Amino acid sequence: MKVCDIIEKLGLTVFSGEQGLDREITGGYTSDLLSDVMGNSEEGQVWITLQTHKNVMAVASLKDVAAIIIVKGFQPEEGTINQSNDEDIPLLGTDMEAFEVSGRLYELLNN
Amino acid sequence: MEFKYDVEGGNFAKAGHAASAVKKVLKQLNVNPKVIKRVVVALYEGEVNVVAHAFKGRIIADIDPSRIYIKIEDQGPGIPDIDLAMQVGYSTASSKVREMGFGAGMGLPNMKKNADKLQISSNVGKGTVVELTTYFNS
């Protein structure tokens, strides 16, 4: 499954990083602790978080995640958007809480 | 090959620059992607520690065909009890830093897990030196 597929199926907003929409998704990781994501996420996962600042992109890029979903309707900061475009890692958004969007993504990826 | 990067205390916008630069170099050298990941995790955590705790720091990365050696040297408060600092969950980070999702007490443990050798020496009130070595065919 690709990033563009989950956007449609989960009704996600695309903030930036459109060039990366054909990235392949291998799984998901839900966490708001940057060191946890740094230590435990894997390449190709979709990272679900409420963090909106630029360091999110640094971690995402170093770990080669497929995309980031920002939950609860939070808006990414401008620096985050710019780096997402530079790195071609899509920055997505949803009004859902982390629990719900994680569950729905899990279901999509495992069916 | 030796590379040097300056790190500014408190400037989170730039945290990760050294890790990103080193990642590019190792990719160009065709280092095993799994090894690159380990190096990058350890270096990023070290970089963030300087940004979160110190006034300023310098990172030196020395790469030869068999390994990468990284030295992260800072001018800052130092670490009074290194064994305690190594414990998962222990952190002295400010509440502002924690709100950003840092300061979970996972930085040094992540560094230990992702480096083949980790050496820390610290002078309270002066600064800390962290040395990381990772072998390419480990």
Side-chain angles (χ1 to χ4, degrees):
Chain A
M1 193 167 298
K2 291 184 173 183
V3 175
C4 52
D5 300 323
I6 67 160
I7 289 168
E8 195 189 328
K9 291 189 164 109
L10 300 176
L12 306 173
T13 310
V14 181
F15 294 117
S16 52
E18 283 89 351
Q19 297 292 326
L21 291 181
D22 60 350
R23 282 173 177 257
E24 199 66 41
I25 297 172
T26 58
Y29 199 79
T30 305
S31 179
D32 303 321
L33 295 177
L34 272 59
S35 283
D36 177 39
V37 178
M38 221 35 222
N40 301 301
S41 70
E42 280 166 27
E43 184 172 343
Q45 289 180 331
V46 173
W47 175 16
I48 297 165
T49 184
L50 55 66
Q51 299 287 356
T52 58
H53 56 82
K54 196 181 162 192
N55 297 92
V56 166
M57 283 314 307
V59 172
S61 156
L62 292 170
K63 296 295 286 189
D64 292 312
V65 305
I68 299 162
I69 301 176
I70 296 179
V71 298
K72 289 167 67 169
F74 290 135
Q75 300 288 315
E77 291 173 13
E78 198 183 329
T80 317
I81 289 175
N82 293 341
Q83 204 179 336
S84 153
N85 286 327
D86 290 346
E87 310 268 0
D88 298 336
I89 298 176
L91 198 52
L92 313 172
T94 179
D95 286 335
M96 285 183 266
E97 294 185 356
F99 175 76
E100 187 181 356
V101 73
S102 301
R104 289 183 57 187
L105 179 62
Y106 183 90
E107 204 172 37
L108 272 182
L109 294 174
N110 288 281
N111 280 318
Chain B
M1 272 186 288
E2 197 177 271
F3 301 87
K4 285 182 185 159
Y5 310 95
D6 287 321
V7 186
E8 235 178 284
N11 188 353
F12 279 95
K14 281 178 81 180
H17 274 220
S20 177
V22 166
K23 183 183 177 185
K24 284 194 186 107
V25 172
L26 295 178
K27 262 190 175 173
Q28 279 166 2
L29 294 171
N30 280 320
V31 172
N32 179 342
K34 281 186 182 159
V35 177
I36 297 180
K37 289 245 145 61
R38 298 184 70 220
V39 171
V40 160
V41 170
L43 176 53
Y44 179 76
E45 294 289 3
E47 216 178 326
V48 166
N49 278 348
V50 174
V51 175
H53 298 284
F55 308 120
K56 63 174 181 177
R58 165 160 283 197
I59 294 170
I60 295 169
D62 178 72
I63 302 170
D64 76 15
S66 68
R67 59 104 181 97
I68 178 166
Y69 163 82
I70 296 168
K71 187 176 183 181
I72 306 166
E73 204 166 2
D74 72 48
Q75 291 171 26
I79 305 172
D81 185 341
I82 292 172
D83 287 339
L84 184 61
M86 290 303 298
Q87 285 180 20
V88 177
Y90 180 80
S91 175
T92 58
S94 66
S95 56
K96 181 186 159 242
V97 169
R98 286 172 202 253
E99 273 169 29
M100 292 175 78
F102 295 111
M106 299 171 77
L108 286 171
N110 264 356
M111 288 166 81
K112 191 178 181 187
K113 205 167 96 185
N114 287 286
D116 294 332
K117 273 193 219 163
L118 169 68
Q119 183 143 10
I120 304 171
S121 55
S122 193
N123 256 330
V124 173
K126 286 194 170 166
T128 301
V129 181
V130 175
E131 292 166 281
L132 301 155
T133 307
T134 300
Y135 297 96
F136 295 143
N137 55 3
S138 56

